[in-house]
């Protein structure tokens, strides 16, 4: 064989190795953190339960899932005198709220500023007060050792001196002091608008791990208001009562996202980053999911698109199926509250199956890591019928930023 034939053989072998790695890979890996900072892998999680969905954890083992302990104690810091104010708004759905709160707290902490409770602007433009959705008293008291928090009660003259600044999610201290601090020193009032840079734009701007202040704000301070939390708990109880094992799987599938740019990404050319109901049903069958167990789907209305899933799994439910009439016309009548229901049901279900990558998936996983509910399965295009081969790489590789928040 001459040199060209040898090189050709080597290149051919290398291509087969690369192809094999692509087939075995979790198909969400390249896209899932497209909108949030990517952390490096820190080894395989050897404590992950290896089970088929035909043998879901029983209620006793599910209840024993241990909530992790935050490494940072928010009450351990002395409160510094405020040098000015940081304001912000919560926009879109709850998956954005978590990141926006964490980022605003981070900026306020590094600037030595007082954080003003945000207003809420829903995805349809509706405006709400923070206390209409979240527990304001808990947030203020929980953050007292980190940053001072005040309610929004300042005169118009305060708003006139306000400067808006775009800050990347999980910005590092160097970026904040270089790009935000000069504006803050000049006006003593900045409005933080959080954005999510692409992976290629993160270098030098963001930290890989969540800061302890962001961790505290996300997993300790931010809670639903008690009335809304009671509704969530009630719906969870109803879902569990539908199944023979008092458990349910939550699937984040919204039909309107299929065929849009959300399901396509240049970061993962040729790879699939969302799945339709037929593919989800086939996935459940392949890994042996019991036919009459309960599946909650975040799709707003049952519709024709879910028929293939309901045909194989008749106990597939949506909000329309599970919410009471009083809830539909009262506390949960707006889109924002319904998005919150989806987010928190996906956070507390026995198993979570994301039908697409994105920020909703990422922040639900963060909540589940905090509560010890790490059964998260991705319906990747691999032929394995073992649930363990579909475990989210966030869990199997401990690659989620939230892992930096907790001490085992």
């Amino acid at each position: 064989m001459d040199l060209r034939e040898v090189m050709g053989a080597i290149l051919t072998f290398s291509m087969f190795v690369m192809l094999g790695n692509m087939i075995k890979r979790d198909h969400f890996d390249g896209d899932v953190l497209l909108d949030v900072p990517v952390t490096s892998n820190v080894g395989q999680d050897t404590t992950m339960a290896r089970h088929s969905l035909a043998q879901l954890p029983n209620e006793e083992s599910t209840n024993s899932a241990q909530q992790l302990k935050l490494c940072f104690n928010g009450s351990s810091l002395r409160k510094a005198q405020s040098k000015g104010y940081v304001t912000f708004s919560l926009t879109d759905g709850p998956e954005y709220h978590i990141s926006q709160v964490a980022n605003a707290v981070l900026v306020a902490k590094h600037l030595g500023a007082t954080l003003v409770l945000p207003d809420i602007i829903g995805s349809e433009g509706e405006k709400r007060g923070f206390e209409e959705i979240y527990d304001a008293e808990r947030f203020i008291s929980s953050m007292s050792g980190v940053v001072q928090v005040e309610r929004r009660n300042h005169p118009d003259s305060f708003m006139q001196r306000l400067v808006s600044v775009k800050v990347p999610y999980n910005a590092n201290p160097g970026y904040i002091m270089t790009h935000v601090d000069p504006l803050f020193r000049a006006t003593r009032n900045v409005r933080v608008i959080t954005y999510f840079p692409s992976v290629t734009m993160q270098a030098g701007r963001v930290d890989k791990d969540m800061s302890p202040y962001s961790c505290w704000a996300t997993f300790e301070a931010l809670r639903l208001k008690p009335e809304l939390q009671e509704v969530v708990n009630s719906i969870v109880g109803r879902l569990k009562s539908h199944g023979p094992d008092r458990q349910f799987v939550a699937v984040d599938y919204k039909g309107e996202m299929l065929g849009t740019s959300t399901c396509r990404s240049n970061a993962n050319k040729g790879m699939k980053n969302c799945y339709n109901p037929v593919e989800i049903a086939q996935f459940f069958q392949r890994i042996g999911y019991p036919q009459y167990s309960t599946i909650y789907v975040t799709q707003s209305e049952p519709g024709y698109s879910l028929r293939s899933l309901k045909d194989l799994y008749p106990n597939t439910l949506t909000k329309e199926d599970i919410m009471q009439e009083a809830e539909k016309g009262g506390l949960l009548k707006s889109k924002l509250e319904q998005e919150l229901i989806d987010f928190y049901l996906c956070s507390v279900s026995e198993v979570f199956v994301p039908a697409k990558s994105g920020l909703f998936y990422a922040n639900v996983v963060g909540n589940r890591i905090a509560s010890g509910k790490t059964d998260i399965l991705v319906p990747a295009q691999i032929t394995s019928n073992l649930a363990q081969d579909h475990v989210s790489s966030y869990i199997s590789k401990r690659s989620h930023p939230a892992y930096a928040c907790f001490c085992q």
Side-chain angles (χ1 to χ4, degrees), residues 196-209:
F196 303 91
S198 64
V199 174
T200 57
M201 296 293 290
Q202 291 173 7
R205 300 184 180 191
V206 303
D207 285 330
K208 290 183 178 181
D209 292 331

Side-chain angles (χ1 to χ4, degrees), residues 141-279:
S141 61
S142 296
M143 296 305 299
S144 62
V146 182
V147 294
Q148 183 176 341
V149 181
E150 291 186 4
R151 297 179 183 275
R152 185 181 293 271
N153 56 0
H154 297 282
D156 292 340
S157 59
F158 167 82
M159 301 303 294
Q160 290 173 1
R161 294 182 287 114
L162 198 62
V163 175
S164 296
V165 55
K166 293 180 66 176
V167 182
Y169 171 69
N170 211 31
N172 60 39
Y175 182 92
I176 294 172
M177 300 314 291
T178 300
H179 297 278
V180 186
D181 186 60
L183 295 173
F184 179 70
R185 287 177 179 273
T187 64
R188 297 299 176 187
N189 297 298
V190 294
R191 180 177 180 82
V192 172
I193 301 172
T194 296
Y195 74 96
F196 303 91
S198 64
V199 174
T200 57
M201 296 293 290
Q202 291 173 7
R205 300 184 180 191
V206 303
D207 285 330
K208 290 183 178 181
D209 292 331
M210 292 178 68
S211 80
Y213 317 121
S214 298
C215 292
W216 188 261
T218 300
F219 299 115
E220 179 62 29
L222 189 64
R223 292 285 190 276
L224 293 177
K225 70 176 184 177
E227 297 89 340
L228 194 52
Q229 185 62 58
E230 287 178 9
V231 174
V232 173
N233 295 342
S234 175
I235 294 176
V236 169
R238 273 174 257 155
L239 282 168
K240 289 187 174 185
S241 69
H242 273 264
D245 52 7
R246 291 193 58 78
Q247 299 181 2
F248 72 99
V249 173
V251 177
D252 178 36
Y253 166 79
K254 299 179 179 69
E256 63 269 20
M257 305 307 293
L258 292 180
T260 68
S261 58
T262 305
C263 277
R264 297 188 296 271
S265 171
N266 293 330
N268 245 352
K269 289 182 178 178
M271 289 191 179
K272 195 171 181 66
N273 66 334
C274 61
Y275 297 88
N276 62 40
V278 174
E279 293 166 321

Side-chain angles (χ1 to χ4, degrees), residues 343-365:
F343 185 80
Y344 285 96
L345 290 180
C346 289
S347 296
V348 302
S349 61
E350 277 66 38
V351 178
F352 172 52
V353 177
K356 64 180 184 300
S357 61
L359 196 59
F360 187 99
Y361 169 34
N363 279 338
V364 164
V365 172

